[in-house]
Amino acid sequence: MNPEVLLSRIRVVLCRPSHPGNIGAAARAMKTMGLSSLYLVSPKHFPDPEADTRATGAVDVLARATVTSSLKEALAGTAFAVALSARQRDIGPVLGAPRETVARLIAEAAGGDVALVFGNETVGLTNDEILHCQAAVTIPTNPEFSSLNLGSAVQVLCYECRMAAFLEKPPVVEQGVTPFASPVATHDEIEGLYGHLETIMTDSGFYNPEQPGRLFPKLRRLFGRVRLEKDEINILRGILASTQVKTSHGRKG
Ligand code: SAH
């Protein structure tokens, strides 16, 4: 199924968010990953200029957000909902890992709308809210500091959704710039560089062909590590040629 359609079927539900800035951050997180369906259950302040500011280019997601007074209403029409929780509750679905659970969410999205349900910044999700969901997820964190900012938690999950919807290979942004590339240098061109180096180093007195030592094996090892391009050979030989001119001028003088 078309990945974009799958992503459009994922509702991001924020339960009782206190800070409008986090609503804006969530909208931005969603749009960067191709999600657009935002549900707000009893937000403390919405609409709010702070939400618009934090959303930046994603104010369209805020403008289309659905505000409800209960989670039940926000989940109407969905067949699968995942609760996001930093901690296991004694009752409620067992906490799973984001990747595995999102794989299931995407599979369910092929059949219709699904939801990711996030809690309030201070108290998280209530047990009752968690019991409206069929699965629960915790984002693995530093065990000593496990609570993500709400907008950050939305970003992590939306990223996983995008990766799963596009089977781990989402299209990358077309920059319109072709990276510079020169054809790779051929064996004879590289040998030409070594020959040139040998001449210059002999002329300068750095290298004594009577006592070669391991200089050339080492230089071959050095240049062998990089895949030299024709253009680079030309630059290096240009530099060598420029010192040759100097040296011969010197000799003349
Ligand atoms: N103090 C709250 C956390 C609030 S953070 C608590 O202990 O539950 C706001 C929301 O972000 C949480 O309700 C949850 O939906 C999400 N969140 C934050 N950190 C998370 C984590 N490590 N794993 C999963 N969800 C997380």
Side-chain angles (χ1 to χ4, degrees), residues 191-222:
E191 289 305 311
L193 172 67
Y194 292 140
H196 204 156
L197 268 173
E198 187 172 353
T199 309
I200 298 284
M201 292 194 302
T202 309
D203 278 4
S204 74
F206 183 79
Y207 175 68
N208 179 1
E210 306 297 319
Q211 288 177 317
R214 302 221 290 166
L215 182 61
F216 268 92
K218 285 183 177 174
L219 286 176
R220 281 180 183 274
R221 197 160 82 133
L222 163 66

Side-chain angles (χ1 to χ4, degrees), residues 83-87 89 117-125 137-141 146-150 153-154 157:
L84 270 291
S85 176
R87 56 202 158 88
R89 315 302 172 94
V117 181
F118 296 83
N120 164 273
E121 293 91 331
T122 315
V123 296
L125 288 168
V137 157
T138 188
I139 300 164
T141 53
S146 64
S147 180
L148 277 81
N149 162 266
L150 176 56
V154 172
L157 266 291

Side-chain angles (χ1 to χ4, degrees), residues 32-99:
T32 55
M33 297 297 138
L35 283 77
S36 52
S37 183
L38 177 63
Y39 281 68
L40 304 169
V41 181
S42 308
K44 199 162 178 190
H45 306 284
F46 189 80
D48 189 278
E50 179 63 16
D52 291 354
T53 306
R54 289 285 298 279
T56 54
V59 281
D60 54 320
V61 174
L62 293 180
R64 280 186 278 119
T66 307
V67 179
T68 68
S69 54
S70 69
L71 178 58
K72 202 175 128 197
E73 285 169 74
L75 294 181
T78 63
F80 185 64
V82 178
L84 270 291
S85 176
R87 56 202 158 88
Q88 179 71 59
R89 315 302 172 94
D90 53 353
I91 190 134
V94 175
L95 288 179
R99 203 151 294 166

